[in-house]
């Protein structure tokens, strides 16, 4: 990729990340060599921390999103939680580097290439910034999906690639989105969101009163929906 692809990078606020990220990778590598606790970690026992840190970041991002002018303390919390999730990414990449597979540089290169490839309305195939702009958000989404389908030809169902370990509600929402059962891109009014939240809470209360695990019930219903949509005659709608 040529330097022309980064002509607008100087306008990005904040310090250049290069040196800081290189130091982070160095520190993680040193911890792996000199800290017995960190040295004992592997992909499997890191999973619990990845889930925990991701939910903590989710909570802070939601707090920021719901605040018109987040204060310094909240922004500091956001910065810290972003760092905790970044640590997980760097550590998993370090494990693969030690195994001789790839490192953080390859992860970043792969992500950059995918973003360029899936956003042809912004970048040329060489990664150079285009001057033209897309006609609509719908065009962008359609192009993204088309490129993604070309990248993963083995996926024959719209539900392929949805992680089954997602929380049941997120699993159901992603399934319905893939099935095209969603409203447009605009966020719902606050009163609509609050009412839906109350309804979900009431349904959860109903499930608990009936002795039903709401997480398991929704997960099973979503899997049935996927099978029904795929044409399984034994699946319930």
């Amino acid at each position: 990729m040529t330097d022309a692809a980064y002509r607008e990078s100087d306008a990005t606020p904040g310090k250049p990340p290069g040196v800081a990220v290189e130091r982070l990778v160095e520190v993680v590598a040193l911890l792996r060599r000199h800290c017995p606790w960190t040295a004992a970690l592997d992909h499997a026992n890191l999973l619990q921390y990845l889930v925990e840190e991701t939910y903590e970041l989710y909570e802070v991002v939601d707090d920021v999103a719901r605040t018109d002018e987040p204060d310094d303390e909240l922004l500091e919390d956001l910065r810290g939680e972003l760092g905790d999730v970044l640590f997980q990414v760097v550590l998993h990449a370090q494990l693969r580097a030690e195994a001789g597979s790839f490192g953080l540089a390859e992860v970043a290169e792969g992500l950059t290439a995918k973003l360029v490839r899936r956003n042809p309305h912004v970048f040329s195939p060489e990664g150079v910034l285009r001057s033209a702009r897309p006609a609509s958000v719908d065009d962008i989404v359609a192009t993204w999906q088309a490129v993604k389908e070309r990248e993963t030809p083995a996926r024959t169902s719209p539900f392929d690639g949805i992680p089954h370990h997602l929380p049941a509600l997120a699993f159901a929402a992603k399934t319905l989105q893939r099935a095209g059962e969603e409203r447009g891109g605009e966020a719902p009014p606050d009163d609509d969101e609050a009412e839906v939240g109350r309804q979900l809470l009431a349904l959860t209360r109903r499930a608990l009163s009936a002795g039903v695990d709401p997480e398991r019930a929704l997960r099973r219903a979503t899997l049935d929906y996927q099978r029904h949509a795929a044409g399984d005659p034994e699946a319930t709608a």
Side-chain angles (χ1 to χ4, degrees):
M1 188 174 296
T2 67
D3 291 340
Y6 302 103
R7 284 174 183 167
E8 291 192 355
S9 62
D10 292 341
T12 303
K15 297 187 294 185
V19 174
V21 173
E22 289 176 3
R23 175 59 175 161
L24 172 60
V25 173
E26 179 185 32
V27 166
V28 170
L30 290 171
L31 285 172
R32 286 282 296 166
R33 290 199 291 270
H34 301 288
C35 171
W37 185 87
T38 309
L41 295 172
D42 58 25
H43 289 302
N45 56 34
L46 273 171
L47 287 177
Q48 59 175 319
Y49 303 112
L50 177 61
V51 173
E52 290 171 6
E53 299 296 359
T54 301
Y55 274 112
E56 289 177 11
L57 175 59
Y58 183 106
E59 183 174 339
V60 175
V61 169
D62 187 47
D63 288 342
V64 171
R66 291 186 291 109
T67 304
D68 291 335
E69 296 184 6
D71 58 26
D72 291 343
E73 182 178 357
L74 184 54
L75 293 176
E76 180 64 19
D77 288 343
L78 175 59
R79 186 187 64 80
E81 296 301 341
L82 286 167
D84 290 342
V85 172
L86 178 59
F87 174 54
Q88 296 297 311
V89 173
V90 173
L91 193 46
H92 279 285
Q94 176 63 28
L95 290 173
R96 297 322 310 162
E98 293 170 6
S101 304
F102 57 80
L104 187 64
E106 288 81 5
V107 173
E109 289 170 354
L111 174 59
T112 301
K114 181 167 68 174
L115 292 174
V116 168
R117 191 169 60 248
R118 293 188 180 180
N119 291 279
H121 57 285
V122 177
F123 300 104
S124 72
E126 296 76 26
V128 178
L129 186 65
R130 294 186 185 274
S131 57
R133 289 293 182 261
S136 69
V137 173
D138 289 341
D139 291 340
I140 297 173
V141 173
T143 300
W144 177 281
Q145 290 296 340
V147 174
K148 188 174 181 180
E149 289 172 6
R150 289 198 297 270
E151 293 173 355
T152 54
R155 293 183 178 179
T156 57
S157 166
F159 310 120
D160 288 345
I162 300 178
H164 284 203
H165 290 295
L166 282 174
L169 192 55
F171 183 48
K174 195 68 173 179
T175 293
L176 294 177
Q177 288 171 350
R178 290 283 186 89
E181 295 191 27
E182 61 176 333
R183 200 171 75 168
E186 294 184 2
D190 289 343
D191 55 345
D192 285 0
E193 183 177 272
E195 177 57 28
V196 170
R198 285 190 289 269
Q199 292 176 12
L200 289 171
L201 183 60
L203 190 58
T204 303
R205 184 182 295 112
R206 173 186 165 192
L208 294 175
S209 297
V212 172
D213 180 348
E215 176 81 8
R216 184 174 61 193
L218 180 57
R219 184 176 301 281
R220 289 179 174 177
T222 302
L223 289 170
D224 279 344
Y225 176 92
Q226 290 187 354
R227 287 192 290 268
H228 176 78
D232 185 344
E234 297 183 0
T236 56

